[in-house]
Amino acid sequence: MISIFEIKKEDIKLGFKSAGIREYRADQLWQSIYVDLSSSFDEIKTLPLEAVNYLKSNHSFSPLRLVVKKKSKDKSTDKYLWKLHDNNLIETVLMRYDEDGHRRRRRTVCISSQVGCALDCKFCATGQQGFTRQLTVGEIVSQVIEIKKELIIEEGRSFNNENNLNIVFMGMGEPLANYSRTLEAVKRLNDQKGLNIGARNITISTVGLVPKILDLAKEKIQVNLAVSIHAPDDETRSQTVPINNTYPIGDLIQACKKYIEITNRKVFFEYVLLHGQNDSKSHAEKLGKLLKPLLCHLNLIPVNPTLKSDYKRSNSDKINAFREIITKYNIPSTIRMEKGIDINAGCGQLKSEFLNL
Ligand code: SF4
């Protein structure tokens, strides 16, 4: 049976109509599952019995079943491993950030968009698992719903989306390789009569699918774009990011320029620092020159080492020296606070651990 979270409201209305149920009941259902966050059809008290029975005989509820939840020692990070209807596994991470002088207190949910990934980035546990299938809209959105339920238990009903909740498509998979479902999921997350998460609180991350970046620029949605650049030149980038052989760095930067021109929005570049691979002063100089003309922000991310990869984390002196050079080029940058290393919070790592990959 297809999960109710896969169905657009208009289609729920059509289903209700054909079963002789008044269409406005679809609005009540929508409110129950996306605002009140009911956990089963039986919990929905606003619907008549005939509507509940119709739903139970035609739809399943959440498409996610929890397999493992791990909490980091400092309690800032929870990682969830979910089983899907076909027994595939995906991960979601919840990160809690306290106010730090620069940014307010916030909660960030890192969601998956695919089972596995075909792009094979060399430092990534998901890339090492290969690609299995695209996630559906319901499977993407339900990750947020399940975590939001937990946050409400933790923080109370007054938990405020607008100010506190960020969604990042940085879990398993390349969201722009699952383009139409990712966009439909963004609409669902953003729906003011549903989850009502502001587009500016949603970030889509890509490792550099140039044509899709250009498509996204034309979508007229206010989401943030994060581009995983990870190196300032083709030779270095192609060693860890094979898609660079299809869309080299010059094309990627051109696409980002175009994106900024069309949307007037900054691009967030992500740079995973790998000891001895991309973390030298000369890499930093090249990166500074490359990004200086762009409206952008750079996130420097010390790698979460994976079992199968030889890449090690850069030491803190190197990270700081790298950032100093970037600052010289007037590029705003952050060293991303590391979260959940003790629970394998890096993309794909919990699944690898669970399956002994
Ligand atoms: S880093 Fe992202 S794009 Fe690259 S293999 Fe991992 S999930 Fe795929």
Side-chain angles (χ1 to χ4, degrees):
M1 267 196 290
I2 190 160
S3 162
I4 194 65
F5 294 98
E6 302 298 348
I7 317 282
K8 292 181 180 172
K9 197 197 278 182
E10 291 319 304
D11 293 331
I12 296 174
K13 283 187 177 169
L14 289 176
F16 273 0
K17 196 173 171 193
S18 65
I21 299 163
R22 306 277 292 276
E23 284 180 45
Y24 78 91
R25 296 291 186 187
D27 297 320
Q28 292 177 315
L29 170 67
W30 204 257
Q31 158 88 22
S32 298
I33 61 178
Y34 289 108
V35 181
D36 305 335
L37 306 182
S38 300
S39 290
S40 71
F41 293 127
D42 286 320
E43 252 185 43
I44 305 174
K45 299 300 175 211
T46 48
L47 292 179
L49 191 60
E50 54 164 339
V52 172
N53 287 340
Y54 164 84
L55 290 166
K56 281 161 79 174
S57 11
N58 289 283
H59 297 291
S60 57
F61 210 77
S62 175
L64 308 179
R65 270 182 297 143
L66 185 63
V67 180
V68 178
K69 175 183 170 184
K70 284 195 167 187
K71 193 177 267 301
S72 63
K73 281 197 192 96
D74 67 2
K75 299 197 172 18
S76 70
T77 307
D78 294 347
K79 183 145 191 174
Y80 299 78
L81 185 69
W82 311 105
K83 191 175 271 190
L84 308 176
H85 70 89
D86 53 5
N87 291 331
N88 278 306
L89 298 169
I90 57 162
E91 301 173 355
T92 310
V93 183
L94 164 64
M95 290 161 284
R96 301 170 183 82
Y97 294 93
D98 290 327
E99 195 173 344
D100 58 10
H102 301 287
R103 294 194 63 187
R104 61 173 188 261
R105 177 182 185 276
R106 63 204 184 278
R107 301 291 178 255
T108 298
V109 185
C110 176
I111 58 176
S112 296
S113 55
Q114 298 181 310
V115 181
C117 182
L119 298 185
D120 197 23
C121 302
K122 300 302 176 198
F123 47 81
C124 169
T126 303
Q128 289 155 14
Q129 291 158 15
F131 174 73
T132 303
R133 71 167 171 87
Q134 305 287 15
L135 288 189
T136 62
V137 174
E139 289 165 340
I140 297 173
V141 171
S142 295
Q143 296 171 64
V144 177
I145 290 174
E146 294 305 321
I147 304 295
K148 198 172 168 200
K149 281 181 198 166
E150 302 244 336
L151 283 168
I152 286 172
I153 293 170
E154 204 171 293
E155 308 210 0
R157 268 277 160 195
S158 59
F159 176 75
N160 183 336
N161 272 349
E162 282 290 313
N163 299 321
N164 282 338
L165 188 60
N166 294 314
I167 310 299
V168 294
F169 283 78
M170 290 185 184
M172 300 168 75
E174 159 61 57
L176 294 189
N178 189 8
Y179 189 84
S180 58
R181 296 177 194 88
T182 292
L183 253 63
E184 187 58 34
V186 166
K187 279 188 206 153
R188 194 76 60 85
L189 297 173
N190 190 220
D191 176 13
Q192 289 183 0
K193 294 198 167 148
L195 285 159
N196 193 24
I197 297 167
R200 285 160 195 259
N201 292 76
I202 300 173
T203 299
I204 295 179
S205 169
T206 177
V207 79
L209 300 191
V210 164
K212 297 296 178 193
I213 292 174
L214 297 172
D215 288 347
L216 187 65
K218 295 177 205 140
E219 295 286 352
K220 297 193 170 37
I221 47 171
Q222 305 273 308
V223 290
N224 303 305
L225 174 66
V227 173
S228 301
I229 188 158
H230 304 328
D233 59 74
D234 285 327
E235 197 194 332
T236 312
R237 192 166 194 259
S238 295
Q239 288 168 11
T240 56
V241 181
I243 196 70
N244 193 67
N245 294 314
T246 310
Y247 303 116
I249 215 153
D251 294 359
L252 178 58
I253 293 294
Q254 278 311 316
C256 291
K257 272 190 188 151
K258 194 86 193 151
Y259 177 90
I260 295 164
E261 215 175 277
I262 295 173
T263 62
N264 206 20
R265 296 180 64 75
K266 80 167 72 138
V267 169
F268 294 83
F269 286 99
E270 310 280 309
Y271 196 105
V272 167
L273 285 157
L274 304 167
H275 175 70
Q277 200 272 337
N278 65 356
D279 63 348
S280 71
K281 288 185 177 173
S282 84
H283 286 119
E285 292 284 353
K286 277 194 211 168
L287 188 66
K289 286 183 192 135
L290 192 69
L291 300 188
K292 189 176 163 52
L294 301 179
L295 177 64
C296 70
H297 184 100
L298 176 67
N299 279 319
L300 295 169
I301 309 160
V303 71
N304 263 350
T306 68
L307 293 175
K308 271 196 185 170
S309 130
D310 292 333
Y311 292 111
K312 302 276 176 296
R313 177 175 296 240
S314 307
N315 66 41
S316 50
D317 287 349
K318 267 204 147 167
I319 296 170
N320 291 332
F322 198 99
R323 190 177 181 206
E324 266 173 37
I325 293 170
I326 292 299
T327 306
K328 198 180 77 186
Y329 285 91
N330 290 325
I331 298 163
S333 66
T334 321
I335 297 171
R336 185 176 296 160
M337 284 191 292
E338 302 160 32
K339 291 236 171 242
I341 290 168
D342 56 318
I343 53 166
N344 286 329
C347 155
Q349 291 182 343
L350 184 58
K351 178 178 170 185
S352 290
E353 182 197 73
F354 186 75
L355 297 176
N356 277 327
L357 289 174

